[in-house]
Amino acid sequence: MIRVLHVLSDSNIGGAGHQMLALLAKPRDGFEVEVALPEGALLIPALQEAGVKCVELPYLAEKSFSFRAVRALRTCMEAYKPDIVHTHAAMSGRLAARLYGKCKVVHTRHSVFDPSLKQRALGRLANWLSDAVIAVSPAAMDNQLALGTRPEKIHVIFNGMPKPRAFTPEERTALREKYGIPQEAFVLAQVARLTEVKGQGDMLTAARDFNQNILLLMAGEGELRPELEARIAAEGIKNVRLLGFIKEVEEVLAVMDAQVSASFGTEATSLALVQGMSIGKPAIVTDYGGNPYVISTGKNGVVVPTCNPAAMAKAINGLCQDGEMYNKLAQGAVQEYESRFTVEEMVDRTFGLYRELLVG
């Protein structure tokens, strides 16, 4: 039996948490899995419901590195005796694993960052702290290489997500009524934290040029919300709605016609884009980071220049007006999901990497 310990420092449920839940949702023959999380982490009930054992540790919350977290994690490792330690943005976990000394260390790179002095130091440190680095897109791999990580350490494994449940036409009609959406509206959705690099400000600018029947839903919370609310009020923007945090994201995916991503920072492989593709929803995205590796113009959506609201609005209006193109991209979205972004593909490649490291 191969023992794997995952380490995540997030108290809330972000992209790394959702990806971990998808990875560990079903038991894998020959493997025993445990997850070390901050005390009271919101991900714990979902993992436990999936049958995954969780260990709550002090000093770990929201900190990539803490000496006290290293001590707590090393104690945890001495008790659990993992063969693999797999960390998600938690440097404390990688250092604790090296001090423990009886395991292989895997680290997942979920984002891309500008090559600051700090990030370059961390990239080079990965050569010692990690036996393998999983990059969730070629953009994340290129970023890691630019930061000094050796190429033989890096393995590209795309995020995989399960398909959301299917909604009947009647249920979708009811959802439009629930969210106060006119039945004739062409609905866009942007599912992302409300923070500057996700580009919600650019989307407000783009919305001024939307066709009359287009409505944009922004699902998520974050520090940018007061600024967005102020702009919507001051500029009289009627075709954008801030939904706040939505627990049932599949409702938003079901009610939308297309998805947008206006990111200009950190984006690697958007889980929301992957889930939207799985149910045949095209996307209009910026050419930043991992977006162009998920969405291709003419295949499953449209890629536009980063920080260019005019180009975003033009692409959205074009997709809304061209029903034939919309149907082609919707079919392509499902095909692209099935070929590269299923949970099964992610799980097989990740657990295959574990075995490869131990055999090698």
Side-chain angles (χ1 to χ4, degrees), residues 27-216:
R28 189 75 173 179
D29 289 342
F31 289 88
E32 177 184 312
V33 178
E34 189 170 291
V35 180
L37 292 150
E39 295 172 318
L42 297 181
L43 190 63
I44 292 171
L47 286 168
Q48 291 176 333
E49 185 177 343
V52 179
K53 183 180 177 181
C54 298
V55 178
E56 299 182 58
L57 296 178
Y59 315 121
L60 190 57
E62 313 307 330
K63 293 181 180 179
S64 177
F65 178 75
S66 158
F67 283 112
R68 291 190 291 185
V70 171
R71 287 196 293 269
L73 283 163
R74 187 175 179 186
T75 299
C76 172
M77 292 172 194
E78 294 287 354
Y80 183 60
K81 296 179 173 54
D83 302 292
I84 299 283
V85 170
H86 188 158
T87 67
H88 305 263
M91 181 177 288
S92 297
R94 281 169 277 162
L95 182 55
R98 283 300 187 228
L99 294 174
Y100 169 63
K102 303 171 186 176
C103 63
K104 296 293 185 179
V105 183
V106 178
H107 176 62
T108 293
R109 182 73 163 184
H110 292 277
S111 303
V112 296
F113 296 97
D114 291 333
S116 64
L117 184 61
K118 176 184 175 182
Q119 288 298 326
R120 288 196 295 270
L122 293 176
R124 289 179 174 82
L125 194 57
N127 293 317
W128 176 70
L129 287 177
S130 305
D131 295 290
V133 176
I134 294 176
V136 300
S137 85
M141 177 188 70
D142 292 343
N143 185 235
Q144 201 69 24
L145 289 170
L147 298 178
T149 303
R150 294 199 299 270
E152 65 270 19
K153 295 270 187 180
I154 304 172
H155 304 257
V156 176
I157 301 178
F158 283 108
N159 285 333
M161 289 296 289
K163 286 187 177 183
R165 82 169 182 88
F167 287 79
T168 66
E170 293 76 19
E171 287 176 317
R172 290 196 294 273
T173 297
L175 285 174
R176 287 197 169 219
E177 292 176 356
K178 173 181 175 179
Y179 290 104
I181 300 168
Q183 294 299 323
E184 69 278 7
F186 184 90
V187 180
L188 301 169
Q190 184 175 14
V191 183
R193 177 173 172 77
L194 303 183
T195 192
E196 184 179 7
V197 297
K198 295 299 183 180
Q200 285 93 354
D202 286 342
M203 289 308 304
L204 290 188
T205 302
R208 300 170 184 165
D209 297 323
F210 285 174
N211 291 348
Q212 188 174 3
N213 66 322
I214 295 176
L215 177 66
L216 171 60

Side-chain angles (χ1 to χ4, degrees), residues 261-264 285-293 302-307 312:
S261 171
S263 293
F264 58 88
V285 304
T286 55
D287 59 2
Y288 179 85
N291 282 344
Y293 296 102
V302 183
V303 181
V304 301
T306 299
C307 298
M312 178 67 76

Side-chain angles (χ1 to χ4, degrees), residues 251-303:
E251 291 187 354
V252 177
L253 299 179
V255 81
M256 75 184 185
D257 296 294
Q259 192 169 179
V260 295
S261 171
S263 293
F264 58 88
T266 76
E267 201 74 70
T269 297
S270 165
L271 301 181
L273 287 181
V274 171
Q275 284 199 298
M277 286 167 50
S278 76
I279 55 173
K281 302 299 176 77
I284 305 93
V285 304
T286 55
D287 59 2
Y288 179 85
N291 282 344
Y293 296 102
V294 180
I295 303 299
S296 299
T297 296
K299 180 183 288 187
N300 59 346
V302 183
V303 181

Side-chain angles (χ1 to χ4, degrees), residues 233-255:
E235 298 173 26
I237 300 172
K238 304 295 186 182
N239 54 359
V240 177
R241 294 184 188 170
L242 303 182
L243 301 183
F245 174 75
I246 300 293
K247 183 178 181 181
E248 305 298 335
V249 175
E250 65 265 26
E251 291 187 354
V252 177
L253 299 179
V255 81

